[in-house]
Amino acid sequence: MRLARTMSAVAAGAALTLALTACGGEGAGSGSGDGAAGNGDEEVKVGVAMPTQTYERWIQDGNNVKEGLEGLGYTVDLQFANDDIPTQTQQIDAMITAGVDALIVASIDGTALTSQLDAAAAANIPVIAYDRLIRDSENVDFYTTFDNYAVGVAQANALLRGLGVLDADGNETDEKGPFNIELFAGSPDDNNSHFFFNGAMDTLKPYMDSGVVSVPSKQTEFDQVATLRWELETAQSRMEDLLTSTYSGGEELDGVLAPADVLSRGIINALQGAGMGPTLEEGLPVVTGQDAEIANIKLINDGVQSSTIFKDTRLLAEQAVKATESFVNGEEPEANDTETYDNGVKVVPSYLLEVQTVFAEDIAPVLIDAGYYTAEEVESGQTAD
C-alpha cells in the first residue's frame, strides 16, 4: 500500500527522542505537561481533523498523520468534514468530549473554531494547526506548515518561466512581452491563500509595472480573484466568464496564475473548452499550480499544465507527529519561525517546510526518485492504492 511505503520514515523519525528548543508558546498544553499529556503506559489518544476527502492531498495528509501517530503506539481518531464547517466543529467537539490528549486540526475556516479551542484549553488539550493557521484564538499551541509566502513567490516565478521571461535558473531573459495574464487566488477563509497571493503579487509587480505582463481584466485584488472553498467548478466558471468578457475580441491570453492544482484543472477545462490548446505546444496558456496532485502531474507530463509546487506532505505529517509527541511528553515542539504567523491574537510558534517547483523535467528526480509517485502512476494519472 502506497501510504505505508511513504510513511515509514515518518514513524521512524517521530519515534526518536528529540532535543527540542523552547518556542515560547503559552496556550493549552504548553508548560509543565500536567493534565492531558500521556504518561508511562497510559493510552494516548489524538484527534485529527481534516477538511475534506474531496482532494487527494487531504486524504494523504490524514492517513500519513494517522500512521505516524500509530507508529508511536497512539490511538487516533481521524475525521474528514467534507468541507462543511458545522461538521468539523461537531467532530472536534466530540474529540474533546472523548478526552483526546492532543488535537491536530486542518481547518476549513480558520476563524470558526474559537469555542472548540476554548474547550480544548479548558481541558488542557494542546492544539496543533496543520497547514492552515487557526485564527483569532490564543489557544493555538503550534503550527506546522510550509513557507506559504515562498509558495506564492515560486508560483509567480514558475509563471514567468513558463512565459519565457525567466530561464530555468531564475535569471531574466531578453523576453519583454508584453504578456497577458489572469490571476486566481485561494479561498478567502484559508489564511494560507493570502500568503500565496501576496508572495505571487510581490514577485509579479515589477513586471506588471514595467509592462512585461499585464492583466487585461484589471482584476488584481485578492477579493476579486479569490475562489471560495478552493472549488474547481468556481474556478472554471470564473475563467469562462473572463474569456467571454475580456478575450472575446481576439485578445490573446498567455498565462494564468493558479494557486492550487484543483483550480488548475478547472481553469484548463475552461481554456480547452474555449478551443485553446489542447497542449502548451499547441497554444494552451501557461497555467501554474500547487500540491503536485497525481492528476496534475500527468497533465504536466503530457504537456498540458506548465508547473506545480510540490509540498512533501510526508514531511508535514512527520512534523505534526513530532510536535504531538513533544506535547504528550510535556515538552515544547521545536519551532523554526516565531515571528511570521500572527493569528490576530498571538504569534503562533511554527515549523516551516520548504517547497519545490516541478516542471515536466522535474517529475522524475523530484517525485519518482523520491518515492512519492511511481512512473506508472504518473503515466496513468492515478495512484495505485
Side-chain angles (χ1 to χ4, degrees):
M1 182 176 178
R2 182 170 171 273
L3 286 169
R5 180 181 75 225
T6 59
M7 275 304 297
S8 60
V10 173
L16 296 175
T17 301
L18 303 175
L20 299 172
T21 58
C23 60
E26 297 178 350
S30 59
S32 65
D34 295 337
N39 296 290
D41 295 328
E42 294 179 9
E43 179 187 22
V44 175
K45 296 180 291 184
V46 181
V48 180
M50 291 285 154
T52 184
Q53 289 176 297
T54 303
Y55 306 137
E56 171 191 326
R57 72 145 295 188
W58 291 117
I59 298 172
Q60 291 181 339
D61 281 79
N63 289 331
N64 284 348
V65 171
K66 183 174 187 288
E67 291 193 16
L69 293 169
E70 289 177 341
L72 296 175
Y74 299 168
T75 299
V76 181
D77 181 8
L78 169 62
Q79 298 289 333
F80 297 89
N82 299 318
D83 266 332
D84 183 67
I85 295 170
T87 297
Q88 185 167 65
T89 58
Q90 291 165 11
Q91 290 171 343
I92 295 172
D93 283 335
M95 293 172 185
I96 294 169
T97 300
V100 296
D101 298 295
L103 280 168
I104 299 172
V105 179
S107 61
I108 297 169
D109 183 338
T111 65
L113 299 175
T114 302
S115 64
Q116 282 69 37
L117 268 58
D118 287 347
N124 199 29
I125 300 170
V127 175
I128 299 165
Y130 185 93
D131 200 41
R132 295 175 172 179
L133 184 63
I134 302 172
R135 297 191 55 81
D136 303 332
S137 174
E138 64 180 349
N139 301 312
V140 184
D141 295 277
F142 200 71
Y143 182 35
T144 57
T145 190
F146 295 88
D147 188 335
N148 294 312
Y149 182 87
V151 170
V153 172
Q155 289 174 337
N157 284 330
L159 178 61
L160 293 168
R161 177 179 162 185
L163 295 172
V165 177
L166 301 179
D167 64 20
D169 296 321
N171 299 315
E172 292 186 353
T173 67
D174 294 330
E175 183 59 72
K176 301 301 181 184
F179 295 103
N180 291 334
I181 66 170
E182 293 297 334
L183 310 172
F184 282 73
S187 189
D189 53 14
D190 182 346
N191 195 67
N192 289 354
S193 299
H194 301 270
F195 280 95
F196 301 152
F197 188 71
N198 290 340
M201 291 303 290
D202 286 350
T203 304
L204 290 173
K205 190 176 186 304
Y207 297 94
M208 295 168 68
D209 290 344
S210 67
V212 174
V213 297
S214 64
V215 183
S217 71
K218 309 301 182 186
Q219 297 180 17
T220 59
E221 300 297 324
F222 179 86
D223 290 343
Q224 295 175 300
V225 303
T227 312
L228 185 63
R229 298 283 186 272
W230 300 92
E231 288 289 347
L232 180 154
E233 294 82 5
T234 303
Q236 181 169 337
S237 177
R238 178 169 175 260
M239 188 73 255
E240 290 169 347
D241 290 344
L242 285 170
L243 291 173
T244 300
S245 64
T246 308
Y247 296 91
S248 58
E251 297 84 351
E252 188 166 325
L253 176 64
D254 300 296
V256 182
L257 178 77
D261 283 344
V262 63
L263 304 188
S264 307
R265 295 197 296 275
I267 291 164
I268 290 170
N269 288 344
L271 297 173
Q272 291 178 333
M276 299 182 184
T279 66
L280 292 164
E281 285 190 356
E282 296 170 286
L284 191 70
V286 171
V287 179
T288 63
Q290 178 186 191
D291 290 330
E293 293 193 9
I294 189 59
N296 296 72
I297 295 302
K298 175 175 172 55
L299 290 176
I300 294 171
N301 196 52
D302 292 345
V304 176
Q305 184 171 323
S306 177
S307 64
T308 190
I309 305 300
F310 173 50
K311 304 189 304 187
D312 194 337
T313 55
R314 297 171 299 182
L315 302 180
L316 183 62
E318 180 178 358
Q319 287 302 323
V321 169
K322 287 180 177 180
T324 304
E325 184 182 30
S326 295
F327 283 129
V328 166
N329 291 333
E331 302 168 344
E332 293 186 1
E334 177 185 10
N336 61 11
D337 187 304
T338 57
E339 299 179 357
T340 304
Y341 287 92
D342 187 334
N343 76 348
V345 176
K346 63 183 282 189
V347 176
V348 182
S350 306
Y351 195 99
L352 308 185
L353 295 160
E354 296 182 353
V355 300
Q356 294 174 278
T357 304
V358 174
F359 285 84
E361 63 267 29
D362 303 306
I363 292 173
V366 173
L367 298 174
I368 296 175
D369 293 351
Y372 198 79
Y373 293 130
T374 67
E376 292 75 19
E377 288 171 334
V378 171
E379 182 68 24
S380 68
Q382 296 180 325
T383 55
D385 50 319

